Amino acid sequence: MKFVTTRACAHTLGLMQEVRMNEGSVLDALLEGLVVASEAEMVAVTSDGADDESLLPIAAMLENIRLLLNMDVAFVGSFIDGQRVFTHLASEAELPVGPGFSVPLEETYCQRVIDGRLPPVIPDSSLLPAARDLQATREFGIASYLTAPVILKDGTVYGTVCCLSHVPRPFLSAKELSALQTVADFVSASVEGAGAIECIDALPA
């Protein structure tokens, strides 16, 4: 996995403006240094290490939110046929999983947050038995976790945007969750917009 630069397109900037109108200064902070004009370069993450120029603004926003919240991993997971499938991923270090990797939805934090079995903000998983005892906690070394749902206009839960850290993050609160929800809202707008789909590609498996 490596960082590459890509350029924002008009569809992407339009979506950012749309979300900004609803989210205000939270999105401004999230996008600071990321997009300043239609010709601005964006930092994005690809999984194959190729020096391509594919447009990956969702991945770029994931990297920004990961850094902004001081977390180790940020990802978008879509819910498909009972599976949670990684579509975009930003990580501080190499991971054994990447875009295209899937696990049964029932085994994930994501599903448990959506159905209420887990809270969306978990500063320390060791203090919450419902999280501490999950296999995913051990397998991925999850010590803290944030989850924001990606909900489409018709109410369908497309998936989630999540951040995790390998150490407890006592500072995590509703404020950080609100920032992550901004990214989830952008993902939702991207999925809904046919024009956006053309310029926002899922990361290659």
Side-chain angles (χ1 to χ4, degrees), residues 4-171:
V4 297
T5 60
T6 61
R7 294 185 180 276
C9 71
H11 292 302
T12 303
L13 292 174
L15 284 170
M16 289 176 175
Q17 292 297 333
E18 177 185 339
V19 176
R20 178 182 279 114
M21 290 176 63
N22 298 324
E23 303 293 345
S25 60
V26 173
L27 186 62
D28 289 335
L30 179 60
L31 296 176
E32 183 177 0
L34 183 63
V35 174
V36 295
S38 60
E39 291 301 314
E41 288 192 338
M42 300 175 67
V43 176
V45 182
T46 64
S47 63
D48 62 357
D51 290 321
D52 59 44
E53 288 295 319
S54 58
L55 189 61
L56 300 172
I58 293 179
M61 292 188 76
L62 283 179
E63 177 61 8
N64 239 28
I65 194 66
R66 186 188 73 76
L67 294 172
L68 185 68
L69 299 184
N70 192 28
M71 301 292 276
D72 296 322
V73 179
F75 66 86
V76 176
S78 63
F79 298 172
I80 303 174
D81 296 330
Q83 299 283 308
R84 195 271 314 278
V85 182
F86 289 122
T87 62
H88 299 75
L89 182 71
S91 175
E92 186 176 39
E94 292 286 345
L95 295 173
V97 300
F101 178 82
S102 65
V103 296
L105 190 55
E106 180 58 29
E107 298 177 5
T108 67
Y109 275 60
C110 301
Q111 178 62 51
R112 284 168 166 76
V113 170
I114 293 298
D115 64 25
R117 284 179 287 171
L118 285 177
V121 181
I122 302 176
D124 187 344
S125 64
S126 69
L127 302 179
L128 186 65
R132 181 189 63 213
D133 298 338
L134 288 177
Q135 183 176 348
T137 303
R138 299 187 296 273
E139 287 186 354
F140 297 104
I142 299 173
S144 52
Y145 206 87
L146 277 175
T147 304
V150 177
I151 301 177
L152 305 183
K153 290 179 180 178
D154 65 359
T156 300
V157 178
Y158 169 83
T160 55
V161 177
C162 305
C163 284
L164 68 88
S165 179
H166 303 305
V167 297
R169 301 294 190 193
F171 64 83

